[in-house]
Each structure stands twice: as C-alpha cells, then as structure tokens.
Amino acid sequence: MHREPGNEDAVVFHGQQCLEKYFKAALIAHGEPVLKIHDLRELSRQLGILMPDWEADPSDLTRITQGGVMFRYPGMEASDDDAARAVGITQEVRQRLSGWLRTLPEVS
C-alpha cells in the first residue's frame, strides 16, 4: 500500500494506529490500565517506566502521532517522504514490541 501513489495519508494514519495498539498491548501485558489517548510519545513514556530498557525516538513518535491526525483533514496531505518515514519508524518499533510480546506466556 505504501508504494502506491495516493496512499500517503492512509499510510501515516495506519502507522500511527498500529503503534498505538502495540503500545497499549504492552501496557496491558504489564497489568497497567490504558488511557484513551493516541499520543505515541506519551504511551512510549509510560512503557519506559515499566521497562527501563525501552526507548524510542520521541521526535519520531511525535511526527507519526501528528501525522495520524493532521493528514485526515482536507488541505493537509502527507508526502512520499512522510509515508516512507512512517513505514520505517512503524516497522522498527513494531518489530521490537512484537518481539517482546512474543516472550510472554500465552494466556488461555
């Protein structure tokens, strides 16, 4: 989807949604209540309190958070660069979080 022209806005939006879900899953796995927020930087900060070795670039997370909202409105459009960066950031953070989540015991 991210390689086809015209999908840039959707790519950034879905990248934000993907990471939001992964952060919230990690917080839930730690037994933490999840606030109804969409700010990836704040979710990452909360996770960092529980996982001291966790870190993600706050400026990257802010960029995706803002893009996930901003590009949903008329007059604002994501560029090819915005979409490509969102994909790269999302893949990197998702890979780290999914790797950690896979180490947890299965819940029946």
Side-chain angles (χ1 to χ4, degrees):
M1 178 178 178
H2 71 278
R3 291 187 178 100
E4 296 177 24
N7 290 330
E8 295 84 1
D9 296 352
V11 167
V12 176
F13 172 75
H14 290 293
Q16 185 280 332
Q17 289 288 292
C18 174
L19 292 183
E20 180 181 331
K21 302 318 181 235
Y22 269 96
F23 279 123
K24 289 180 176 181
L27 290 168
I28 290 167
H30 276 287
E32 291 296 308
V34 176
L35 301 174
K36 293 183 179 184
I37 62 171
H38 309 288
D39 184 343
L40 300 179
R41 188 174 178 165
E42 176 58 22
L43 293 167
S44 181
R45 186 196 68 75
Q46 291 174 16
L47 189 58
I49 293 169
L50 303 167
M51 297 171 59
D53 60 333
W54 172 257
E55 65 178 273
D57 186 327
S59 63
D60 284 346
L61 298 178
T62 296
R63 183 179 181 127
I64 292 181
T65 297
Q66 290 173 342
V69 173
M70 188 170 38
F71 300 133
R72 290 174 29 202
Y73 296 98
M76 302 296 291
E77 293 183 4
S79 67
D80 290 341
D81 183 55
D82 293 322
R85 286 196 57 172
V87 167
I89 295 163
T90 300
Q91 286 177 335
E92 189 265 328
V93 174
R94 179 182 56 100
Q95 190 172 47
R96 289 175 46 218
L97 286 173
S98 65
W100 177 79
L101 288 166
R102 278 194 291 273
T103 67
L104 301 176
E106 286 193 33
V107 177
S108 54

